[in-house]
Amino acid sequence: MSHVLVIGNGPAAHRLVERLRHHGHHGPITVLGQEPRPAYNRVLLGSVLDGTLSPDSITLPESEAQVRLGVTATAIDPARQLVRTTTGVVHRYDELVLATGARATVPGIPGVRSGNGGLADGVTTLRTLADCERIARDARRAVVLGGGVLGVETARGLQGRGIDVTLVHPQPHPMDRQLDAAGGELLAEHLRGMGVATELGRRAVTYRPGELVLDDGRVLRADALVLCTGVQPETDTAGTAGLAVGRGVLVDDRMRTTDPHVHAIGDCAEHDGLVPGLIAPAWEQADVLAQVLTGGHARYAPAGSVTRLKARGIDLSAIGAASSLDGSRTDVELVTVADPARGRYAKLALRRDRVAGAVLIGFPQAGAAIGQLHERDLPVPADRLGLLLGGGAPERSAPAELADDAVLCRCNNVTKNRLVRAFHDGARDAGALARATRATTGCGGCGDEVRRLCGALLETSTEQEGAA
């Protein structure tokens, strides 16, 4: 069997190894991980930051591969099918997979970088567990720069740990790429109500150790400046090797780069002009590539985007295109529900009876239902209001009909089979299953599915005990 070499040891790489084995690849798989620790779920860093989860609890299960930790790939030689590393070891491959992820974008604010080009004292990004541990250990008063999804999750996480936090964002409201103005303003109110100070519509102009100067001249005191100002796909090694690179490493529908023996998945891959930067597309790409490398004919067709905020105490889903929510298109039907007294807001954009976009704050049932409708491109029911109030979910497969390897919890890569094993090992309710497998501890979107499976297993178990 061919030797598959994977550069990167994040969730996308881990999922790829699992799917390769599932589809019958019995040959060697080598994984090169830059960090010195085993693979873990980066999606849950915010939960580690706020203390909800421990660092060990987000570690992914051991994979069926030879994993080399603390190793960085320095050069790829496609002609000879070799990869050189910082350890001096040269790895040969038959098929190479780039799962190098993305690195944090550091803004060009005077004082943010030190004289040697690194980050100045007190400045950090949030991309690794080491970043979480450093921030939690050192920060007492923090400024989070950037109010996108990561910035909001980080600010809430730090505040949940008892740290004095200010969120600085240049736009009028946080998560402006996902939310309309009303949704963004309500999110800001929720954050302020939880104790997160906000400086919206403000830019940082200078950083000095312990101080961040805003564009209106005010100075924010902070012993930690956390940069949540975007990411850039890691493409340097690919570009140097002569592979085609745009914003990310260019791939086709079969996740192949311009070299047929080199592939890319996850945050480093650019498909059809897009670098999604979300975990769900990375899972899908890994699934497709695993089939391709084992002789299958799968092709990657991106599903609709669903962003679920992982910030404790805030139930928020942003679905589809935010641009569809502004009311400028005559072919879009808008349905809005506002409940300011209870801090709830929903806005649904429909085109030809399909979900074009949605913002849902405080409507968890509607978020799950509308997310499914969007991902599966299904028509919405005639009762739009009923849908927003929690009805109208598309019909789901019965738990018994799901394949054993069906992934129910994408955040933690938990399959039906793993949940069933945990149930038979004694985890007889949803809480126990969560503790045993970590299912539902990520975005929470799989909660209904896990509870349904648990109920079905309990029913079957009771029937068997009665028959005995």
Side-chain angles (χ1 to χ4, degrees), residues 190-262:
H190 277 295
L191 290 170
R192 287 191 287 266
M194 293 173 170
V196 176
T198 60
E199 292 290 347
L200 303 175
R202 298 263 67 95
R203 295 182 181 275
V205 295
T206 305
Y207 173 76
R208 300 185 292 265
E211 297 182 340
L212 183 71
V213 182
L214 302 182
D215 54 3
D216 61 358
R218 287 181 299 126
V219 177
L220 301 179
R221 306 287 181 185
D223 50 32
L225 175 64
V226 186
L227 303 179
C228 297
T229 46
V231 297
Q232 297 173 283
E234 288 281 10
T235 63
D236 291 349
T237 307
T240 303
L243 302 174
V245 171
R247 183 167 170 238
V249 182
L250 302 184
V251 295
D252 63 12
D253 292 349
R254 291 165 67 80
M255 311 317 298
R256 295 175 301 193
T257 70
T258 45
D259 183 303
H261 295 289
V262 183

Side-chain angles (χ1 to χ4, degrees), residues 102-183:
R103 63 180 181 274
T105 300
V106 178
I109 299 169
V112 164
R113 288 197 181 276
S114 63
N116 61 11
L119 296 177
D121 289 344
V123 181
T124 186
T125 57
L126 184 57
R127 297 295 296 167
T128 67
L129 272 172
D131 293 333
C132 280
E133 292 164 353
R134 181 172 56 256
I135 296 167
R137 180 184 65 243
D138 298 338
R140 296 296 177 270
R141 179 181 295 176
V143 171
V144 176
L145 190 59
V149 176
L150 179 61
V152 171
E153 292 175 352
T154 300
R156 174 64 178 120
L158 289 168
Q159 188 277 329
R161 195 175 271 272
I163 295 170
D164 185 6
V165 185
T166 301
L167 178 67
V168 178
H169 188 54
Q171 302 303 320
H173 62 79
M175 289 182 61
D176 52 281
R177 293 185 179 181
Q178 292 84 18
L179 306 181
D180 65 339

Side-chain angles (χ1 to χ4, degrees), residues 410-434:
R410 289 186 174 272
C411 290
N412 290 293
N413 198 26
V414 182
T415 62
K416 173 190 170 182
N417 188 49
R418 188 172 165 203
L419 286 162
V420 170
R421 290 201 311 268
F423 177 87
H424 290 304
D425 286 341
R428 294 303 182 98
D429 58 43
L433 285 172

Side-chain angles (χ1 to χ4, degrees), residues 60-78:
L60 294 168
E62 187 174 345
S63 61
E64 295 181 56
Q66 187 176 62
V67 181
R68 304 293 192 185
L69 300 178
V71 177
T72 302
T74 57
I76 301 169
D77 184 345

Side-chain angles (χ1 to χ4, degrees), residues 16 94-98 238 243-245 248-266 268-272 285-286 288-300:
L16 175 65
D94 296 304
E95 303 291 341
L96 175 65
V97 181
L98 306 179
L243 302 174
V245 171
V249 182
L250 302 184
V251 295
D252 63 12
D253 292 349
R254 291 165 67 80
M255 311 317 298
R256 295 175 301 193
T257 70
T258 45
D259 183 303
H261 295 289
V262 183
H263 318 264
I265 58 174
C268 70
E270 179 179 341
H271 175 268
D272 199 21
Q285 291 172 2
V288 167
L289 182 55
Q291 294 180 62
V292 168
L293 294 180
T294 52
H297 301 285
R299 292 186 177 275
Y300 175 60

